[in-house]
Amino acid sequence: MTIVVNPFEEDTIKKKRIHGELLRIEEKYSSSLSTEGKVVNDPVHGHIELHPLLVKIIDTPQFQRLRHIKQLGAGYWVFPGASHNRFEHSIGVAHLAGCLVKSLQEKQPELHINNRDVLCVQIAGLCHDLGHGPFSHLFDMKFIPAVQPDSKWKHEKASVKMFLHLVEENGLQQQMEAYGLKKIIQNNPKENDITFIGELMTGVDTSKREWEGKGRTEDKAFLYEIVANERNKIDVDKWDYFARDCHHLGISKSFDHQRLLKFARVCEVEIKDAGNKDEKTRLSICYRDKEASNIFDMFRTRYTLHRQAYQHKTVNIIEKMITEALVKANGHFQISEAINNMGEYTKLTDNILEKMLYPENDYKKILENAQRDLQDASENVRKILKRDLPKFLGEAKLEKRQIPKVKDDWTTAVGEWNKEKKQDLKAEDFVEDVVHIDHGMKDKNPMDSVYFYKKRDPNKAFLKNDQMFLPKDFYEKLFRVYYRGPEEKLKDAQQCFDEWKREYLKPMNPTQ
């Protein structure tokens, strides 16, 4: 019997055979080890196949801890569906990271992406959030600055520390070496897999003229744009949490990450440096020109999520109350001290609120010595449970000239209003919050940093300057005011805020 092979299929087979030869030197996947992998069913991505080494990492106390840290922090107190955790998000990012790097590996064998690269990228995606504290971003953006104002601690760096701790504590060095991952690569001393994984997690800016990566040489700079993209903020971390958060929040989205993944391609792009006229190029991930609207939808999805959910007025006030409770209990539970000890940090999850709510269960002695602070913290938690929250009065969108002194101006306005109206509103009965919302790159248009290619010239990258339907501003700062004083004064408080807002937001006289 004669087997007829389609000429197009024959060409594909030849490419795959050549591609296989390129990878065989670095191949570390053996049939005996592959059976240790797992398939999990994810509500967002469907069935996800996990490499055996990823399974080993997942099955550790350090990673399992992420089951007890809510993805949206206090968002779950407002949106009942937002019950998802950092655990499933991390698995989703590992999956998408693998999809993107394997897609590039298959479509562009000239990039010489080996299986060590693939596995490092997947591990970085899996472990990028290991360093998150209780209630996710609340911990490093609100709690730590409140108790350690001079600290530069961020969860990204903590993720690297926790990853190294996880590997050592669970004896995974041999497992990693079994798959070819090492600190020193004999045939390429300029590569370091452990360093590379850490850099992928924290991010390396591939738009800088001088190459700063230590784990991989400059010819593989594009790999640093997969998990944490410092060039233009398009990365698989966002692809997962946009899709996952919209799914659990019940917010619709038009951004299609699966389509974007299909049209991703690595091209040479120009490295711009105002102080240097010499031309320099570097390999970077680009997208088909027709995907411009899809990419803008991605950035707009980020804005929408912040506006409707992450920075929701009730979420913000609950976050402030949780932060206050954590600060009051910090001295007795040594919460902030845990960031210096990954063993102790492993025990720190959202469950810290239960310890504050019922301190008598395990902390009778502490309760006797520090009853007042813990009772105050416990009362804050009880108010959240009973939805006894400060009342939202309103918000004002600020101009740059108003930002630095808005809180002082508001406090002064309350005093002046009291004198004028002969009232006795107390400044401490108001809670102020300043909210930042952008499209991912502060006040810059993120589309200005995205390179595209055309179907008929896939190796030539360019920036688009014909973008349409863009917002006037890409960044806004909101000043929100809540009232937690006596109920009978709420109407006066509302009137005070409304009058202040009308006066404060009057356009500035151009002659002033």
Side-chain angles (χ1 to χ4, degrees):
M1 184 176 67
T2 304
I3 299 176
V4 179
V5 179
N6 185 304
F8 293 104
E9 291 182 356
E10 186 176 15
D11 184 53
T12 301
I13 292 170
K14 286 180 181 179
K15 286 184 179 179
K16 287 187 174 180
R17 186 179 297 121
I18 295 171
H19 189 202
E21 292 296 328
L22 287 170
L23 296 176
R24 194 162 294 158
I25 298 172
E26 300 291 345
E27 183 63 79
K28 288 292 180 181
Y29 299 110
S30 71
S31 58
S32 61
L33 291 171
S34 63
T35 58
E36 299 171 16
K38 285 186 179 179
V39 175
V40 298
N41 190 7
D42 181 73
V44 175
H45 305 300
H47 290 87
I48 294 175
E49 186 174 350
L50 296 170
H51 183 275
L53 184 55
L54 269 62
V55 176
K56 292 289 184 183
I57 293 172
I58 291 170
D59 293 340
T60 63
Q62 292 75 23
F63 192 89
Q64 292 293 320
R65 164 183 177 270
L66 297 180
R67 289 184 184 271
H68 309 291
I69 296 178
K70 287 285 179 288
Q71 174 77 8
L72 299 188
Y76 183 43
W77 296 83
V78 178
F79 300 93
S83 59
H84 54 307
N85 304 300
R86 291 280 160 185
F87 180 84
E88 49 265 42
H89 163 64
S90 297
I91 292 175
V93 175
H95 166 67
L96 291 179
C99 289
L100 180 52
V101 71
K102 288 176 184 177
S103 173
L104 297 175
Q105 184 187 47
E106 182 177 344
K107 290 188 294 187
Q108 295 182 264
E110 69 275 10
L111 298 175
H112 302 295
I113 301 173
N114 58 56
N115 286 334
R116 284 194 299 108
D117 297 331
V118 172
L119 194 49
C120 285
V121 169
Q122 288 178 301
I123 292 173
L126 184 70
C127 298
H128 78 289
D129 273 351
L130 283 176
H132 265 299
F135 303 98
S136 293
H137 291 288
L138 178 152
F139 190 82
D140 58 341
M141 296 180 69
K142 296 187 176 182
F143 169 68
I144 291 298
V147 295
Q148 298 182 10
D150 298 327
S151 174
K152 297 186 183 299
W153 185 89
K154 296 293 181 186
H155 79 269
E156 291 88 353
K157 291 184 178 179
S159 293
V160 177
K161 289 179 66 176
M162 183 64 88
F163 170 68
L164 297 175
H165 173 72
L166 178 155
V167 171
E168 183 177 356
E169 193 73 9
N170 297 280
L172 295 185
Q173 295 93 335
Q174 289 185 337
Q175 292 284 341
M176 295 181 74
E177 290 185 6
Y179 291 101
L181 304 188
K182 300 178 181 179
K183 289 185 177 180
I184 300 176
I185 312 301
Q186 291 182 352
N187 60 347
N188 196 341
K190 292 184 178 180
E191 293 188 356
N192 182 317
D193 291 330
I194 307 303
T195 299
F196 181 44
I197 292 171
E199 289 177 332
L200 289 171
M201 291 158 66
T202 57
V204 170
D205 192 345
T206 60
S207 67
K208 289 186 176 180
R209 187 173 184 83
E210 297 301 321
W211 178 239
E212 297 179 349
K214 305 295 182 186
R216 287 294 187 271
T217 47
E218 190 174 358
D219 60 315
K220 290 189 175 179
F222 59 91
L223 293 175
Y224 287 85
E225 298 174 351
I226 295 176
V227 176
N229 190 341
E230 293 299 312
R231 171 189 285 276
N232 55 32
K233 306 301 180 182
I234 303 177
D235 51 53
V236 297
D237 176 26
K238 293 180 183 62
W239 293 1
D240 181 85
Y241 82 71
F242 289 165
R244 194 172 301 278
D245 292 356
C246 285
H247 172 78
H248 287 280
L249 288 165
I251 294 176
S252 60
K253 69 175 183 67
S254 56
F255 165 59
D256 185 351
H257 67 270
Q258 290 286 3
R259 181 177 174 83
L260 199 56
L261 191 152
K262 297 292 184 184
F263 288 104
R265 179 178 177 80
V266 174
C267 306
E268 291 273 358
V269 303
E270 183 182 355
I271 303 299
K272 297 181 178 180
D273 187 346
N276 198 318
K277 295 182 179 181
D278 295 335
E279 290 187 6
K280 182 178 175 63
T281 60
R282 183 176 291 146
L283 291 174
S284 181
I285 298 177
C286 305
Y287 300 91
R288 271 287 300 276
D289 52 346
K290 66 178 182 178
E291 291 307 299
S293 60
N294 190 19
I295 291 175
F296 179 71
D297 284 344
M298 185 199 82
F299 290 117
R300 196 63 184 175
T301 297
R302 182 190 189 278
Y303 173 85
T304 300
L305 284 167
H306 273 270
R307 203 65 175 87
Q308 296 185 17
Y310 306 158
Q311 305 288 0
H312 187 281
K313 60 183 185 296
T314 310
V315 173
N316 282 163
I317 194 60
I318 292 177
E319 285 184 342
K320 288 185 80 70
M321 294 177 73
I322 293 175
T323 302
E324 288 176 4
L326 292 174
V327 170
K328 289 175 181 177
N330 184 48
H332 311 291
F333 292 131
Q334 288 82 47
I335 302 170
S336 61
E337 293 299 316
I339 64 175
N340 302 313
N341 184 321
M342 290 297 102
E344 291 300 315
Y345 197 61
T346 303
K347 306 172 188 176
L348 195 57
T349 67
D350 291 1
N351 294 336
I352 187 65
L353 283 195
E354 293 182 17
K355 294 181 180 180
M356 289 188 286
L357 190 59
Y358 306 111
E360 63 276 7
N361 290 349
D362 301 303
Y363 295 90
K364 288 183 179 180
K365 191 171 182 180
I366 294 178
L367 184 61
E368 291 171 3
N369 297 330
Q371 193 165 5
R372 181 177 176 182
D373 282 347
L374 286 180
Q375 282 183 338
D376 287 347
S378 178
E379 184 59 27
N380 253 29
V381 179
R382 291 182 191 279
K383 284 183 177 181
I384 295 172
L385 290 175
K386 294 188 296 182
R387 304 293 285 189
D388 183 10
L389 309 175
K391 304 298 187 295
F392 180 66
L393 300 181
E395 66 183 19
K397 185 176 179 180
L398 304 177
E399 298 179 12
K400 288 184 178 180
R401 64 181 174 84
Q402 300 166 321
I403 291 173
K405 56 176 185 172
V406 61
K407 287 188 177 182
D408 292 336
D409 289 345
W410 162 249
T411 302
T412 301
V414 172
E416 292 176 351
W417 194 86
N418 279 332
K419 290 180 182 179
E420 182 183 343
K421 305 292 183 180
K422 296 182 179 180
Q423 296 289 341
D424 57 349
L425 293 177
K426 298 178 180 179
E428 58 267 27
D429 286 338
F430 293 93
V431 181
E432 302 90 14
D433 192 25
V434 177
V435 176
H436 306 260
I437 303 177
D438 60 51
H439 287 68
M441 298 186 72
K442 300 297 182 183
D443 58 347
K444 297 179 181 178
N445 177 1
M447 296 295 292
D448 290 341
S449 300
V450 182
Y451 279 87
F452 297 90
Y453 67 90
K454 292 184 177 181
K455 182 177 182 179
R456 292 182 177 80
D457 195 357
N459 294 318
K460 184 178 180 181
F462 62 92
L463 295 168
K464 289 181 72 70
N465 54 16
D466 57 348
Q467 303 162 34
M468 299 177 65
F469 308 115
L470 298 179
K472 179 181 177 182
D473 299 309
F474 292 90
Y475 172 79
E476 62 184 16
K477 198 165 188 175
L478 307 175
F479 180 64
R480 289 176 175 169
V481 179
Y482 304 77
Y483 181 69
R484 58 183 173 190
E487 186 73 23
E488 60 271 17
K489 296 286 185 181
L490 178 59
K491 187 175 180 180
D492 292 333
Q494 184 68 64
Q495 184 181 351
C496 176
F497 174 80
D498 291 342
E499 291 184 9
W500 170 83
K501 180 180 177 180
R502 282 195 297 270
E503 185 66 27
Y504 199 70
L505 295 185
K506 281 184 179 179
M508 178 178 275
N509 188 333
T511 61
Q512 291 180 341

